[in-house]
Structures are given as structure tokens and as C-alpha cells.
């Protein structure tokens, strides 16, 4: 996946993230109500001393949503993190938190929003990986995913995911106009770049899809978000009249818009690469949309909060590109859970007897 993303580094990644709405009035009302509930939940969290007594102080706001990154075949990591959020942070099936996802991350986000459990998700996604490992990946992944989604998602999945609770990232391909190409050449010349005339003929725009008018429309959005050329067949997938590729190519780990303290989840250790990136690195500059603010925002990842990655970078990327064995996949589930628990404990999140999320020890 990330090798594919690098092939687009020469293109100017432009455009803003639009939120596509297929059913205007109802989702807007629901989103407003969801946002109010998130704020009430955050205000309701109080600081609890280490002896368990409420000290009356107001704790930092709880996360209003989560964003699961593109991951290739690493999505067992996401399942482990999802499980920890359910077990440690009291994240319920009908939670008010919004979820966003790109590529493999969109699958985990959609499964949660449909009311499935991490156990369900692990079974479904492990079956997908087993099929790909046994029968191959080139040209097959899209079909394997589609069959699984149609088999496992509930018939009203599109309604369950159109409540302002799910945001699916897709990257749409758009041809650059002659004037846009000339403007890009001018900017490159002003920057003193020797290859100023070497400008691509297309760009990627990002879009967050948050409302789905049918079951097929939801499945189409998820397949478009997961569309990696060669792995899924044709270089791009048609969705809502546009050619789309992997949603992580525009925004690696999208977060729900208009929520407080969204948390990103990513199974690849990228903090060091982000910190070393320079302003001349184009689509991979530290402020590029692809991973803007990576080291400055809440993050669940192998290298976040002082974590030391158990897997080296080469192994991680290899497992992202080619499905690993069952033992390695279970290792990814464990690592995702451990990293999410480290985040939860570092931020004082514990689960009380009633299963509600509270904050601990802000002393």
C-alpha cells in the first residue's frame, strides 16, 4: 500500500476533504445530536484520584471519535486496538463516538458502526486474509472483500452507518486543467526546483463519505476506499461517477470532522519518518495532508507515547503487502491491543464496574 502511495508522490495532492451527503436533512440533524451527546459525555467525565475518590476536578475531554488508518493486510492490528477500546474504555456498540477510516481502517470502522463485535471482526477479517494467503492477492482482493461484506454486514448496514457515526475516506482521481498545470510549474520554478516542468496530469482529491442511500452504496464506498491497483484489479474503481483509489493515499488516517480530541490508530511506526521529513518532500512533507500533524495529535501506534515497536519496519511493510501466517496475524492483534492499552493508561482511561469510561489520576 505504501509503495503504491509513493508512486503518487510526484503528483500534487490537492483539494480539500469534502463530506458527501446523499440524504441532506436527516444526517445533519443526527450529526448535530451526536455532537451534543459527545460534548455531554466529555463534560460528564470527572477526574478521579488514585484512591478512587472523586476530587471534583474536571478531567480532559474524552475523545469524540477515532480514525483508523490504511493498513494493507495489517488490519488485525486494528482489531486488537478496537478490542482494547471496547474492554478498557467502555466503548459500546451504540457508542456516540464517530469513526472514520481509510482502506482497511474503513472496514473496522464500518463493522463497529454496524454493531458487530471485535470477535466478529477478527473472524471476518481473518477469513479474508486466509483466502488471500491461499489463493493469491493479485486481482483478487476486491472480490474477496466484496463477498465478505455482502455476506457479513446486516441488511440495514447503510442505515446504521448513516447516523453521523461513520466517515469513509476515498481518494478520487481528477485531471488537472492546463491552467492548474501552469500554476504548478510556476510554483516549482519559484522554489528553484530543477524539474519544474515535470508536472503530472492528474491529482488526488480526498472525500469523506458519511451517508449511504443503499446497501450497495455502502459496499461500494468501502471497496473504493480499499482499492489498491493490481491487488483489486483495474487501476481505479468507479464510485458515484468518479474514479477512486485507496482512501489512504490522500489521508493516511482520517478522523471524523467536527469532533473533539479525535484519536488516530495506525499499525505502522511512522513518527520518526514524520519528524525527519522536510518541507521539500512534497506529498510527504510534515504538513502534507497525507499525515499532517502526525506527531502532534492523539495517536495509537507502535511508536506512540514512548512505545518501542516489536516489529522492524521491513517486517511491518512486508506483512502489510502480503498476508502473514496465522501466528503472525495473532501477534498483530496482540500488538494493537497493547498499544491501545498504553494510550488508554497514559491518558488515565479506565473502565468502571458499570462499564462506563472514566478518567483516572489527574493529580
Amino acid at each position: 500500500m505504501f509503495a503504491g502511495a509513493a508512486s503518487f508522490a510526484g503528483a500534487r495532492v490537492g483539494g480539500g476533504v469534502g463530506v458527501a451527503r446523499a440524504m441532506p436533512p436527516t444526517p445533519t440533524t443526527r450529526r448535530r445530536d451526536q455532537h451534543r451527546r459527545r460534548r455531554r459525555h466529555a463534560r460528564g467525565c470527572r477526574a478521579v484520584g488514585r484512591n478512587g475518590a472523586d476530587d471534583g476536578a474536571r478531567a480532559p475531554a474524552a475523545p469524540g471519535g477515532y480514525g483508523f488508518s490504511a493498513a494493507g493486510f495489517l488490519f488485525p492490528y486494528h482489531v486488537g486496538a478496537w478490542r482494547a477500546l471496547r474492554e478498557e474504555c467502555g466503548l459500546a456498540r451504540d457508542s456516540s463516538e464517530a469513526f472514520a477510516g481509510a482502506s482497511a481502517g474503513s472496514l473496522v470502522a464500518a463493522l463497529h458502526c454496524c454493531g458487530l463485535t471485535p470477535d466478529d471482526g477478527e473472524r471476518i477479517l481473518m477469513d479474508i486474509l486466509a483466502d488471500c494467503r491461499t489463493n493469491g492477492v493479485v486481482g483478487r482482493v476486491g472480490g474477496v472483500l466484496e463477498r465478505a461484506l455482502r455476506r457479513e454486514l446486516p441488511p440495514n448496514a447503510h442505515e446504521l452507518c448513516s447516523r453521523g457515526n461513520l466517515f469513509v475516506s476515498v481518494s478520487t482521481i481528477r485531471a488537472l486543467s492546463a491552467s492548474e498545470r501552469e500554476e504548478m510549474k510556476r510554483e516549482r520554478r519559484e522554489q528553484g526546483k530543477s524539474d519544474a516542468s515535470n508536472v503530472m496530469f492528474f491529482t488526488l482529491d480526498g472525500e469523506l463519505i458519511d451517508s449511504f442511500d443503499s446497501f450497495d452504496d455502502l459496499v461500494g464506498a468501502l471497496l473504493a476506499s480499499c482499492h489498491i491497483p493490481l491487488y483489486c484489479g483495474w487501476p481505479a474503481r468507479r464510485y458515484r461517477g468518479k474514479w477512486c483509489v485507496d482512501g489512504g493515499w490522500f489521508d493516511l488516517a482520517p478522523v471524523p470532522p467536527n469532533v473533539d480530541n479525535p484519536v488516530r490508530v495506525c499499525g505502522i511506526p511512522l513518527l520518526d519518518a514524520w519528524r525527519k521529513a522536510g518541507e521539500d518532500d512534497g506529498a510527504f512533507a510534515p504538513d502534507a495532508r497525507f499525515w499532517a500533524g502526525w506527531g502532534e495529535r492523539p495517536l495509537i501506534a507502535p511508536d506512540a507515547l514512548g512505545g518501542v515497536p516489536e516489529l522492524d519496519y521491513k517486517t511491518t511493510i512486508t506483512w502489510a503487502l502480503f498476508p502473514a501466517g496465522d501466528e503472525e496475524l495473532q501477534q498483530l492483534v496482540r500488538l494493537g491491543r497493547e498499544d491501545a492499552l498504553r494510550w488508554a493508561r497514559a491518558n488515565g482511561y479506565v473502565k468502571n464496574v458499570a462499564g462506563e469510561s472514566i478518567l483516572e489520576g489527574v493529580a
Side-chain angles (χ1 to χ4, degrees):
M1 174 181 300
F2 295 95
S7 69
F8 277 79
R12 183 173 186 264
V13 181
V17 174
V19 178
R21 298 177 176 86
M23 300 179 290
T26 305
T28 301
T29 304
R30 288 171 176 164
R31 189 176 303 108
R32 181 192 62 206
D33 294 340
Q34 290 272 8
H35 186 61
R36 287 174 177 172
R37 283 197 294 273
R38 291 175 197 133
R39 284 188 169 277
R40 285 198 297 270
H41 171 71
R43 289 197 298 266
C45 291
R46 300 181 66 82
V48 179
R50 297 194 183 279
N51 61 1
D54 188 341
D55 64 5
R58 180 161 293 168
Y66 298 88
F68 287 80
S69 75
F73 293 117
L74 292 176
F75 48 57
Y77 179 94
H78 285 345
V79 172
W82 177 22
R83 177 170 287 130
L85 294 175
R86 289 285 296 268
E87 294 174 354
E88 190 79 2
C89 302
L91 187 69
R93 289 192 188 192
D94 58 350
S95 62
S96 62
E97 290 88 351
F99 277 65
S103 194
S106 71
L107 302 178
V108 173
L111 292 175
H112 173 78
C113 292
C114 285
L116 278 72
T117 68
D119 286 341
D120 295 327
E122 182 173 347
R123 173 184 56 80
I124 295 166
L125 298 177
M126 290 298 192
D127 286 347
I128 291 171
L129 286 170
D131 186 311
C132 292
R133 189 171 59 239
T134 301
N135 301 305
V137 297
V138 177
R140 297 191 66 255
V141 176
V144 176
L145 284 176
E146 182 168 5
R147 288 191 293 273
L149 292 171
R150 293 188 179 281
R151 181 178 65 247
E152 301 289 351
L153 293 181
N156 64 336
H158 58 294
E159 297 173 352
L160 296 172
C161 294
S162 296
R163 301 174 294 170
N165 56 340
L166 177 65
F167 298 83
V168 177
S169 173
V170 297
S171 301
T172 58
I173 302 173
R174 178 175 61 83
L176 289 167
S177 66
S179 60
E180 286 177 310
R181 295 186 72 246
E182 288 303 317
E183 175 64 18
M184 290 172 62
K185 291 178 182 179
R186 184 187 64 78
E187 291 178 357
R188 293 174 72 86
R189 283 194 295 268
E190 290 178 352
Q191 294 169 0
K193 295 186 176 180
S194 58
D195 60 345
S197 61
N198 184 19
V199 174
M200 301 295 287
F201 288 88
F202 62 87
T203 187
L204 293 181
D205 290 335
E207 192 170 8
L208 286 176
I209 312 296
D210 74 332
S211 190
F212 312 93
D213 53 15
S214 68
F215 183 89
D216 287 344
D217 188 45
L218 171 62
V219 171
L222 296 172
L223 294 176
S225 185
C226 292
H227 191 88
I228 306 173
L230 297 182
Y231 282 75
C232 296
W234 186 253
R237 184 180 182 88
R238 196 76 170 168
Y239 176 67
R240 292 188 177 180
K242 300 177 182 179
W243 289 109
C244 303
V245 291
D246 191 283
W249 286 10
F250 182 82
D251 190 344
L252 177 62
V255 294
N258 305 317
V259 301
D260 297 326
N261 305 312
V263 179
R264 287 167 162 169
V265 182
C266 181
I268 299 179
L270 294 173
L271 277 173
D272 190 54
W274 178 80
R275 289 167 179 151
K276 291 179 179 178
E279 296 300 327
D280 295 332
D281 287 335
F284 297 96
D287 59 349
R289 176 70 204 187
F290 175 71
W291 58 358
W294 195 255
E296 300 167 352
R297 300 175 183 176
L299 177 66
I300 295 172
D303 53 350
L305 297 169
V308 178
E310 185 171 310
L311 303 176
D312 60 51
Y313 191 77
K314 180 179 179 181
T315 299
T316 303
I317 295 301
T318 299
W319 290 3
L321 296 173
F322 305 100
D326 289 340
E327 184 176 341
E328 289 80 6
L329 296 178
Q330 288 301 323
Q331 181 182 4
L332 287 172
V333 174
R334 173 179 61 80
L335 293 176
R337 185 175 186 277
E338 290 176 355
D339 292 344
L341 291 178
R342 184 172 67 254
W343 168 82
R345 289 162 181 163
N347 287 278
Y349 285 95
V350 295
K351 191 172 73 172
N352 64 16
V353 176
E356 298 172 346
S357 181
I358 61 175
L359 291 163
E360 178 186 45
V362 187

